Structures are given as structure tokens and as C-alpha cells.
């Protein structure tokens, strides 16, 4: 599962196991980030960059939920909602930013099922798709161990109160390790969480671990925080001190 760019021959394919989210948003990076978060939950994200393409793809992709940015090129979000309400019963959620209050009202009046904050929080999207369980709840859980504090809801990683900038996969990796502090996290667990179970290249996990160690100040040549458990995985050992 992952992101699929809408376009190409207008021929619907067979439905695969899992859920399908059609995301209409002017920012493709938003779709990529969301797809990476949802990959481990068997969710396919179909991306459309404008409202006209979204209206076409709803019939072709048969999504379980349509998530539409309030502001879209060609056909605005509220109009997309209005047209879809005349065609089908698929839930349509409107994504709104701090300046989109008027657009949100128009979309709700047109028949949108709900509004959610944009940029999107993966756990909220999973709930909209009807995906539940402990792993979904963990997406939004802040975790702390020693001076490390990781908050997925705000995408913030802090060490002793200091904000550390991390790429998406390294952020997810640190969250996973901190959530299981003092316990071994296997390579299979890391693969499932970061790549949705599809096996990465043989050294990919080791490369991400090395980069993460460097970013958090853990000596890659003599680590004391992220320890390697040979042939199994890694163990996070928090240094002394609490999160500020």
C-alpha cells in the first residue's frame, strides 16, 4: 500500500485488500507524507492535485473516503462536495487550514461529512477510514524516555526540551524506539512500521539507524543510546535526565 498518482488510462482496476483514501490536495508532499504514515495499516492513498481530477477519480477508484482540501485548483473543495453528494454516498471530509473558515462552512452546507485540520494527522484519517486498534492509537501517543520526548500529533522530537529536526522516517523510527525503551525492537517490526511490511534493501534500516544516531548526538561508532542487538534489531537505552 502507498500513494498512487491519479491519471493515465481511465480504467478501474480490481480492489485490493485494505482501504482506499482519495486525497485531493494542491500539495503533493502532503499526500506523500500521509501515505508513508498509513502504509503500515493497509491504506492506499490516491492523490489528485485538483478538484476536476478528484471528481473523475472517485468513480474509477471507488474510495472508502474522499479527503478534499478546502482550496483546490479548477474546482474548489465546496463544489467537489456538492457534485459528489448528487452522485454517491461516499463520505467526503474537508481539510481546512487556519484561514479556511468560510470555505469550511460552504463545504459543510454542501454536504461534507466533517472537517479536519490540515496538515492532516494520520490517526484522524485512520479513524475516518474505520481503521481501529492499538496500533492506530499509538500514532497519536506522545512518548517519553529519559530526556527524549516524541509527540506525533505535532511532529516534534525533543531532547531535554531542545527541538530536533528529523525527516519523516527517522522521526517514526525514533518514536518506535522510544515507545519501546529498554526493549529490543526487531528489524521486522521496524520494516512493518516504516515500510508497511515491504522489505527494504538489506542495509536500509542500518543506514537510517546511523543517520538517526548522528542527529540525536549518539556516537555512530560507539553508540550508547541506540544499541545494536546483533542479528535481531535495536534497543533504545535512554540516557539520564528527564524531558524538559
Amino acid at each position: 500500500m502507498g500513494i498512487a498518482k491519479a491519471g493515465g488510462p481511465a480504467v478501474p482496476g480490481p480492489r485490493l485488500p485494505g482501504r482506499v483514501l482519495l486525497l485531493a490536495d494542491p500539495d503533493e508532499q502532503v499526500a506523500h507524507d500521509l501515505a508513508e504514515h498509513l502504509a503500515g495499516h493497509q491504506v492506499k492513498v490516491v492523490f489528485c492535485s485538483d478538484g476536476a481530477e478528484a471528481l473523475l477519480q472517485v468513480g474509477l477508484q471507488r474510495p472508502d473516503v474522499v479527503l478534499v482540501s478546502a482550496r483546490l485548483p479548477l474546482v474548489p473543495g465546496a463544489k467537489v462536495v456538492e457534485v459528489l453528494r448528487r452522485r454517491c454516498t461516499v463520505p467526503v471530509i474537508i481539510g481546512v487550514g487556519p484561514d479556511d473558515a468560510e470555505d469550511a462552512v460552504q463545504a459543510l452546507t454542501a454536504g461534507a461529512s466533517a472537517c479536519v485540520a490540515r496538515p492532516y494527522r494520520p490517526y484522524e484519517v485512520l479513524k475516518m477510514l474505520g481503521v481501529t486498534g492499538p496500533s492506530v492509537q499509538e500514532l497519536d501517543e506522545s512518548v517519553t524516555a529519559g530526556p527524549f520526548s516524541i509527540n506525533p500529533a505535532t511532529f516534534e522530537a525533543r531532547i531535554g526540551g531542545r527541538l530536533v529536526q528529523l525527516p519523516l522516517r527517522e522521526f517514526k523510527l525514533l518514536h518506535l524506539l522510544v515507545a519501546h525503551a529498554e526493549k529490543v525492537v526487531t528489524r521486522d517490526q521496524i520494516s512493518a512500521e516504516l515500510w508497511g511490511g515491504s522489505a527494504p534493501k538489506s542495509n536500509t534500516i542500518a543506514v537510517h539507524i546511523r543517520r538517526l544516531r548522528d542527529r540525536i548526538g549518539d556516537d555512530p561508532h560507539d553508540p550508547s543510546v541506540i544499541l545494536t542487538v546483533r542479528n535481531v534489531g535495536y534497543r533504545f537505552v535512554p540516557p539520564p535526565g528527564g524531558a524538559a
Side-chain angles (χ1 to χ4, degrees), residues 44-91:
K44 173 186 176 183
V45 178
V46 177
F47 171 68
C48 304
S49 59
D50 63 71
E53 184 65 23
L55 291 172
L56 172 65
Q57 292 297 325
V58 166
L60 298 175
Q61 302 290 340
R62 293 170 290 164
D64 296 287
V65 171
V66 177
L67 179 55
V68 181
S69 173
R71 300 189 185 190
L72 281 174
L74 301 183
V75 181
K79 187 65 177 179
V80 171
V81 174
E82 180 185 336
V83 173
L84 288 179
R85 282 289 67 89
R86 295 200 300 262
R87 293 183 182 178
C88 60
T89 59
V90 63

Side-chain angles (χ1 to χ4, degrees), residues 173 177 190 205-213 226 234:
L173 177 57
L177 292 170
I190 294 172
I205 292 176
V207 169
H208 279 77
I209 288 288
R210 184 168 65 250
R211 290 174 179 168
L212 180 57
R213 282 170 173 157
I226 302 177
Y234 301 89

